[in-house]
Structures are given as C-alpha cells and as structure tokens.
Amino acid sequence: MKFGISDSIFNSVCLYAICVKPDVSSTHVQVALELSMSRNKLRRVRVGIDVGGTFTDAVVIDYETGEFIGQLKVPTTHHAPDGVARGIIDAIEQSLGRFGVAPSEVMFIAHSTTQATNALLEGDVARVGIIGMGSGLEAWKANHDTRVPPMRLAPGRMLRPHHGFIKTTNNLSDETIRRMVHDLCEQGAEVVVASEAFGVDHPANEDRVADIARRAGLMATCGHEVSSLYGLRTRTRTAVLNAAILPKMFATAEMTARCVEQARISAPLMIMRSDGGVMSVAEVHARPILTMLSGPAAGIAGALMHERVSDGIFIEVGGTSADISVIRDGGPQTRPARVGGHRTFLNTLDVRTLAIAGGSLIREGGGQILDVGPRSAHIAGLGYACFAAASVFDKARLVHLRPTERDAEDYVAIQAGGEAGDEVGGETGSTARYALTPTCAANLLGIIPEDSFARGSREAARAAFRPLAEALGVNEEEAAKHVLEASCRKVAKQIEELIDEYKLERATVELIGGGGGCAALVPYTAQMLGLSHRIARQAEVISTIGVALAMVRDSVERNIVDPSPADILQVRREAAEAVTKAGALPETIETEVEVDTRRNLVRATAFGTTELRREEDQAGHTLDVDDCRSAAARSMQVELKCVRLAAETSSLHVFVATHYEQRMFGLFRSERQMLRVTDHTGVIRLQRSAAEVAASEVADIARDLERIITGLTDFGDAGRTLPDVHVLVGRRIINLSGLADAEQVIALAQAELEALPPDERLVIVAAPRSA
C-alpha cells in the first residue's frame, strides 16, 4: 500500500500519468515509478495482446516460471480516430494497472493484429505505383512481368497499381527516377514499389528508387525486401500487396510503439507474424505483409509454447469460425498464401478455416436439421440460450430469421415469452430472442467440462431446445445430438483430409482444442473419429498467450541449383542475421534448413528470443525417468514393461518399444522400433513410429551420421530419399531432415555443434522418411 491505496490503483495512476498526461512533471513520474517498484522484489513478465474482431485480449505471464498471471478484455476500437491502436493502448494500460506490474518488469511485449488481413479483405488500401526496371534483351519481359493487373480484394474494391518502366541498359540517373516518381504521384500513387529483374541478386537500383521516392515524401518498398526468390511477376505482386497496406500498418505500429515507450517499458514492442513468430516495429515498416493471418498463427504459437504440443491437430474454435492446423515435430506446417486468387511469395501457416464454431446458428426446415452455420449468433445479434436463465424459456417458441438480407430464412432462434407482446424480464417477447448453438447443444448433453469458458446452464439449454425438438419430432437430447453431429461432421471431414495429406499415423493423432468455443466441438469430434483429445489450459485466450510466448522468427529463401554445403551454410547465416536484426539475441538463435530439389529452393528459418533465460528459469516441474517412461508408454499405447530407455542427454530421454505386426494370417511377422523423446517434464518432444537411435559425440558426428544415413537411405524410381535425422544435445533437438544429401546434413550438423566441446554427448535419431 502507498498513501492508503492499493498497488494496482497506484500503478494505474502512474501509467495514466505517463501515457495519458505526458506533460506531468518528469520528477513526479520518476518518484511514482520508484515508489511502485519498491513495493517488493521485481518480477519479470511477458505481455501478449491479441486484436480480435470484437475484443482485444491481453494476458500477463511470469517470465521465469511461465505461470499465467491474468487476462482481460477491452473492446476493439475499429472506429476510433487512432484505429485499433487505441484498443491496444487501453489493453496495455489496464494490464499493468490491474495486475500490479511495474513498467520495468515487462521483459517482452507483443501484439497480433488482423489489420493487414482486414485491409486486404475489405479493400481499405493505399494507391500503389510500380517502377519496373530491366536491361538488354530482358527489358521487354521485365516490363511485362512488373505490370500487375488489377486485383479484386472485396466486392466493388479493386487494387489497381499504376505502372512505369525504366530501361537500365545505360546508366540509371537520379533525374530519370525522379521524373518517374513524379509521374506516378500525378496519377495518385501514395506508395512506390521498385522491382527489377534479378533484383534479388543486384538490389542497388531498387534501393536507389526507394530512397528517391522516400525523399520525395512517399513510402516505398522493394521487391527484394519482401522476397529473395526468383520470379519477377510473383515477387512484384507480393511487393504491391505489401505496399498497399504499408501506410496504415506503419501508423498503427508507430502509435503503439510510442505508447510502450511513454509507459517506460524498455522492452521493444514486437508484432506477430503470419508464420507464428514475432518481428520488430522496424521490420513491420519494411514488410507489413508478414503480419497477414497472424491471428491463427498466434493460436498455434500458444499450442506450441504454452501447451507444449509436439505432434497433433490444433483446433481453435471461436464464435463464428474454427481454424484447424497440423503440428509435427514441434513445428507448424506452412504453405504459400494466395490473395484474391493470386499466388504470392508469402509463406503462411497452413490453417484450414471452417465456417462452423461454438456460436454457429442452426438451420431447420421440413422437420429436419438442414445445416449448422455459416452464420453465427454474433452476426445475428443474439445471445446464446445456454447463458440465459432457464425460466426465460417457459413459454418459448421456435422462430425463423435471416441473419443478413442475403441469407435464406431457415436459420432458427428461440423467441422467449411465447407470443409477441409477452413480457420477459422487462423485454417484450418480440425482441427477446436467443440463439440455439453447438455450445448450447454440448451443454445440454453434459459434454462441456465444469471449468470451461463455454460452460453454461444445462437446464436453460434443455428448455431452449424443447421447441426445436418438437419441430424435429424427437426429445431434447436427440435434437442436441443432431446439431452436434451436423457441426462436427464438418470438422471431422477436414481432420481426415489433414491426416491423409500429411500422412499422419492415426494411432498417435491427438486433437488439441483452443478458443472459447473449443469445448463445444472438439470432444464430440474426437469421439466421432475415435481419437484422443485435450482442451488447452486457458483455452479462451490461447492466441493471446501465443503472442506473449512467441519467439522472434524469420526465414530466408534462395533459388540455388544443386546447392553445395557452403551454399546452405550461407543461407543459414543470412537467416540468423535477419532474426538478429529483428531483435533476437545471438546466443538464443536456432536455425532449421530444408532443401527442395524439385524447386531448386533452399529455405533457412531462424528463431530466438529477445532476452536470455537462466538455466533455473527453464527447469519447470521435473519428473524422474520412470515418470517420463510412463508418459512415453501412454503415447505409444503399450505396457510400461515394453518401454526401455535407449539413450539420453542432460535434458532429454529417448525411449523405445518394439511393435510387432502379423500378416498373411500370422505366417509372417514384422517388427519396428517405436520412439518417443521426452524432456525432463514428461512432455513428448519427438515421436516416430519406426526409428533408429545411436549415441555419439561431437568429435564423431560426421562419421556416425554418414553411417546411419547410408544404412537408411531409400533408393527408388524417383532417386534416393534420405531419412529424417535429428541430433539431440542438451535440451536442443536439431532438425536435419529435408536435406538432399549426406554431405549437406553433415555440414549443417557441424555448424550447429561447432561451439561445443569434442566430448559433448549427443544422440542421433534417424527414421525412414515414411515413418
């Protein structure tokens, strides 16, 4: 207590003085901060903010222990003069005040945003001018490839870039560039894109154009800044999309960054990327397109970092839609993004979005369920029936409605109070309508756990379902089952497709539910498919937690034909440098490399943190080796006695068990060695249905890798296929899979291990690519 007021109120006053009244005496502010920090020993926290369509969520997490401290919601401020930045600022202010956090205690602060996605979907973009460049015989083709045709972003909203072209056969003069920039300005361009044939190899001209455009008062972006891949047409198109959202994203990032600075938070503000990592405000200024689709990415980051999921299918269920994605070997899957039907060089997480969720509306006609969704209670402006009092539905009746003018009138709602004009709780029956949703159905069937965010009144759900049940000619429970089956069939169909597409081993697939509506759909879907499932801790804010726990991440891609080990190491170095530039400490950086021989593509992905963590900070709740063995046995679905410890590092245990299969009526029997790697907390970090294990040391890694790779390489009609290889050292699992030959694997392994002593113990895990 200070001067008779609580810590949280005192912190709120301090923050108000800093953020809202910056003209307050700096001496007074400093005294206030010192008093706030003197209340007890400083703790370190991470703050995450997730900007949603309706609400902006904030969470505070203890930096050392990962303990969840608290969460809050504020309205998303789409229509405020400051835009969504106002809501982000409100969330920061209230979080520090409510949870008694001093600004100096914030070690990491980040937010996700739907602004880039919404700007493109709604067509709320800047006017773009393209300056294409090329020389010699390539000039004609470059002129054609840098002309980006109009792109349809939303009904009635087109992105129509202006275009100019400069031949660079002779020396490129600043005056020529200035004239072209002026011409584009006259046509209305607000942002300039500089794009030249082979600009990824020789970016000097693109940089000159961008520099002159900025000096003329315009924003600018270069083709080589958004992608380092060959393909002038796609690279230019990606740069145009990046430029179109640049002014709005720049303004929002600057505004929120200023508030963080004014709040005396020394940690740099980070922004969520579409691949599940975060990047600095400076990077947003250059590549705002990387924030597109960062909302679903935040949920996956939460599953990875908070729930420690290494393999599974993550299903984040909101009120209107569900996002479904695959997690393998502790990482998400990615694919190139398409905007307006056009391919880009932007890699986003492979997230499948379905128009089914906890708040989806039921459609009924002819005494049967026609469908569930795509419209939701939110769109119709209705509350969920299961969150009302059961007495409201004593005289309820079923009504049909159109959530929007374009919809069919087969969506149903419950009219409370019977006939129009009856009063219900002070409202007339004509306006007291409630939605019947999958969440209501799941509550009626008793599926939703007691502590779940989606838990409502079972009695209210039963009473509300009665009119629908009468229309269907069944009882309330059967009506609820019909609703959940219609809803979960959509989710189950997508899960089956992902299992097949990613060749997942069905016996080991686990469904992980996140989002406020996950308890309504995930348990029932798992039951339909015969799969195991779990609901994430703090599921309703799993995305926000993902933002708070996300790591700095960046990728570098290069088109290289038959890359040598030196080429691969160079791309790896560039990725590490990029993530360092984005704010990661060099000591924390790890890098993964993959080679796609069909596309002549080398991709290196680096990730790290903005703050060093002490060894004891990462200890967690340590289990003994027997408890970890039990966790491995449960994962492999075998008896404990069948599992043995095959190898270990200082922080990881490698368990194996032999699985026998009989074929041809028992005449033939085959066996394979299943594998699970757990950390000291019992979390499965790596799993394979068939794998080999070998102990090694740093000094012997080249010899041992060559022997194992040679033994497991498959030679087929399509050529040779190397096994998936992982090297375990300390708590790290170094992924060496996806490379083209043993020489590349060995070179990358030696680069990863070069700082370790020669006698450091290692474990090599190798599995045939099909396992």
Side-chain angles (χ1 to χ4, degrees):
M1 299 283 289
K2 287 92 177 172
F3 316 116
I5 61 176
S6 68
D7 284 352
S8 61
I9 295 175
F10 183 79
N11 278 327
S12 296
V13 172
C14 290
L15 191 62
Y16 179 81
I18 297 166
C19 279
V20 184
K21 296 291 185 181
D23 55 335
V24 171
S25 165
S26 60
T27 302
H28 291 168
V29 170
Q30 186 62 39
V31 170
L33 285 171
E34 289 175 359
L35 284 170
S36 176
M37 292 187 293
S38 68
R39 71 187 186 278
N40 50 34
K41 181 178 180 292
L42 289 180
R43 59 181 172 179
R44 304 195 298 169
V45 303
R46 301 176 73 100
V47 177
I49 301 163
D50 183 38
V51 182
T54 306
F55 291 103
T56 294
D57 293 307
V59 300
V60 179
I61 294 175
D62 189 284
Y63 193 89
E64 280 83 8
T65 66
E67 176 189 356
F68 183 81
I69 295 173
Q71 68 188 74
L72 60 80
K73 290 178 180 287
V74 299
T76 298
T77 52
H78 293 295
H79 305 297
D82 300 338
V84 297
R86 179 69 260 167
I88 295 171
I89 293 167
D90 291 344
I92 294 172
E93 292 176 1
Q94 294 186 33
S95 295
L96 298 194
R98 180 177 299 183
F99 305 118
V101 176
S104 59
E105 295 175 322
V106 178
M107 297 292 105
F108 177 90
I109 182 167
H111 74 81
S112 72
T113 176
T114 59
Q115 193 168 22
T117 305
N118 292 344
L120 291 174
L121 291 177
E122 297 167 8
D124 185 13
V125 294
R127 293 184 292 274
V128 178
I130 305 167
I131 297 180
M133 292 172 283
S135 62
L137 298 176
E138 291 289 332
W140 180 88
K141 187 175 186 305
N143 189 359
H144 177 269
D145 287 348
T146 56
R147 289 180 181 272
V148 176
M151 288 185 280
R152 184 177 183 271
L153 301 178
R157 302 300 297 269
M158 302 287 290
L159 174 58
R160 302 178 187 274
H162 304 288
H163 180 265
F165 188 79
I166 301 174
K167 285 188 177 182
T168 58
T169 304
N170 300 318
N171 290 333
L172 180 63
S173 70
D174 288 357
E175 182 57 33
T176 301
I177 297 172
R178 278 193 287 269
R179 281 199 304 269
M180 183 64 70
V181 169
H182 180 267
D183 290 346
L184 291 174
C185 280
E186 290 291 305
Q187 297 176 59
E190 300 168 299
V191 188
V192 168
V193 168
S195 188
E196 183 178 23
F198 303 103
V200 295
D201 296 324
H202 308 287
N205 285 339
E206 289 186 357
D207 289 337
R208 280 179 67 193
V209 169
D211 181 60
I212 290 173
R214 289 174 185 133
R215 279 189 271 144
L218 298 176
M219 290 187 173
T221 190
C222 301
H224 75 270
E225 291 178 334
V226 297
S227 176
S228 52
L229 293 180
Y230 295 137
L232 181 59
R233 182 179 302 174
T234 303
R235 192 169 67 247
T236 305
R237 183 187 302 126
T238 307
V240 165
L241 292 169
N242 187 69
I245 60 176
L246 183 56
K248 176 167 285 192
M249 291 298 299
F250 184 97
T252 299
E254 281 292 297
M255 190 174 300
T256 51
R258 279 198 303 271
C259 178
V260 169
E261 292 174 0
Q262 290 171 352
R264 305 293 176 86
I265 295 174
S266 59
L269 177 67
M270 309 298 286
I271 291 88
M272 198 78 191
R273 291 165 50 111
S274 58
D275 59 5
V278 291
M279 61 182 181
S280 66
V281 171
E283 283 296 296
V284 174
H285 292 171
R287 297 183 292 171
I289 195 171
L290 295 183
T291 68
M292 194 174 74
L293 302 175
S294 66
I300 297 172
L304 292 169
M305 306 296 290
H306 184 58
E307 276 299 298
R308 308 283 301 280
V309 176
S310 59
D311 289 86
I313 296 179
F314 178 62
I315 309 169
E316 186 171 15
V317 184
T320 302
S321 63
D323 294 324
I324 306 175
S325 52
V326 170
I327 296 174
R328 299 184 70 181
D329 295 338
Q333 309 305 301
T334 62
R335 63 177 177 179
R338 301 184 75 88
V339 177
H342 299 284
R343 178 170 169 261
T344 71
F345 278 153
L346 171 66
N347 278 324
T348 62
L349 299 187
D350 185 1
V351 178
R352 314 293 171 89
T353 299
L354 303 180
I356 187 70
S360 297
L361 292 175
I362 299 165
R363 305 173 73 174
E364 182 272 340
Q368 59 182 330
I369 300 293
L370 301 177
D371 199 357
V372 181
R375 298 303 186 191
S376 67
H378 172 71
I379 297 297
L382 302 175
Y384 293 22
C386 61
F387 297 135
S391 60
V392 167
F393 305 109
D394 286 345
K395 297 180 181 181
R397 61 190 177 91
L398 193 70
V399 296
H400 290 78
L401 55 84
R402 300 174 186 266
T404 72
E405 293 181 358
R406 299 190 302 272
D407 296 320
E409 196 173 357
D410 55 10
Y411 288 89
V412 301
I414 295 300
Q415 184 83 53
E419 297 300 322
D422 291 349
E423 284 204 0
V424 180
E427 292 186 283
T428 61
S430 61
T431 59
R433 287 182 173 181
Y434 295 86
L436 286 178
T437 66
T439 299
C440 301
N443 271 288
L444 171 53
L445 296 175
I447 292 172
I448 297 183
E450 189 171 344
D451 60 348
S452 172
F453 183 80
R455 177 80 172 207
S457 167
R458 191 171 187 178
E459 293 73 23
R462 185 186 304 279
F465 257 88
R466 192 167 296 126
L468 177 63
E470 292 172 356
L472 300 178
V474 298
N475 62 33
E476 293 89 338
E477 283 77 8
E478 287 298 315
K481 285 181 181 178
H482 289 331
V483 169
L484 278 188
E485 285 170 1
S487 304
C488 294
R489 270 198 303 268
K490 299 179 181 182
V491 182
K493 180 176 182 291
Q494 184 61 74
I495 290 171
E496 293 281 17
E497 290 178 4
L498 287 171
I499 290 174
D500 181 63
E501 184 176 335
Y502 284 101
K503 297 179 173 55
L504 305 179
E505 187 179 2
R506 192 181 186 88
T508 65
V509 171
E510 180 184 36
L511 307 185
I512 301 95
C518 67
L521 298 183
V522 174
Y524 203 86
T525 302
Q527 180 183 323
M528 289 176 65
L529 294 172
L531 301 174
S532 62
H533 81 280
R534 61 181 154 119
I535 303 299
R537 295 167 294 151
Q538 289 86 37
E540 67 275 15
V541 287
I542 190 69
S543 288
T544 321
I545 292 172
V547 176
L549 296 178
M551 303 178 76
V552 183
R553 181 184 175 104
D554 208 341
S555 295
V556 171
E557 297 178 318
R558 291 281 184 269
N559 291 117
I560 306 174
V561 178
D562 192 19
S564 67
D567 293 329
I568 291 173
L569 293 179
Q570 175 59 31
V571 177
R572 175 183 177 273
R573 278 192 294 271
E574 291 177 17
E577 290 170 359
V579 83
T580 300
K581 181 181 177 182
L585 292 180
E587 303 93 318
T588 70
I589 294 173
E590 298 182 23
T591 309
E592 295 181 354
V593 179
E594 57 181 308
V595 177
D596 186 338
T597 54
R598 291 175 301 175
R599 298 167 57 198
N600 296 321
L601 176 67
V602 178
R603 178 187 295 117
T605 301
F607 45 90
T609 64
T610 58
E611 180 79 8
L612 280 174
R613 297 188 65 182
R614 301 188 302 267
E615 193 78 17
E616 57 269 27
D617 295 344
Q618 305 179 38
H621 179 61
T622 301
L623 302 178
D624 62 31
V625 68
D626 289 335
D627 289 333
C628 292
R629 189 160 69 102
S630 296
R634 287 193 298 272
S635 175
M636 289 188 276
Q637 302 178 10
V638 299
E639 295 182 20
L640 183 60
K641 64 182 181 182
C642 299
V643 179
R644 66 181 179 87
L645 180 65
E648 60 184 338
T649 70
S650 59
S651 298
L652 300 170
H653 306 297
V654 183
F655 297 100
V656 296
T658 302
H659 177 75
Y660 299 97
E661 292 180 346
Q662 292 188 350
R663 294 174 293 148
M664 298 291 294
F665 307 103
L667 295 176
F668 299 96
R669 188 175 79 161
S670 62
E671 61 181 63
R672 54 186 169 87
Q673 182 173 260
M674 298 185 294
L675 174 141
R676 299 292 186 271
V677 177
T678 75
D679 61 18
H680 56 71
T681 67
V683 172
I684 305 296
R685 297 283 307 282
L686 181 67
Q687 59 179 310
R688 287 292 182 268
S689 59
E692 291 190 9
V693 181
S696 184
E697 294 182 351
V698 171
D700 301 325
I701 189 65
R703 180 198 65 196
D704 293 339
L705 279 174
E706 186 170 11
R707 172 178 56 81
I708 291 172
I709 291 171
T710 300
L712 290 177
T713 296
D714 179 52
F715 294 89
D717 294 337
R720 62 180 179 179
T721 302
L722 268 62
D724 287 337
V725 178
H726 294 79
V727 173
L728 283 51
V729 53
R731 67 169 53 85
R732 290 185 62 196
I733 299 179
I734 302 171
N735 187 354
L736 301 173
S737 306
L739 298 175
D741 58 48
E743 188 179 6
Q744 294 174 355
V745 174
I746 292 169
L748 189 56
Q750 289 175 327
E752 292 284 350
L753 302 171
E754 61 185 356
L756 300 177
D759 59 350
E760 178 82 19
R761 288 188 305 158
L762 312 171
V763 178
I764 301 172
V765 174
R769 189 63 61 88
S770 59

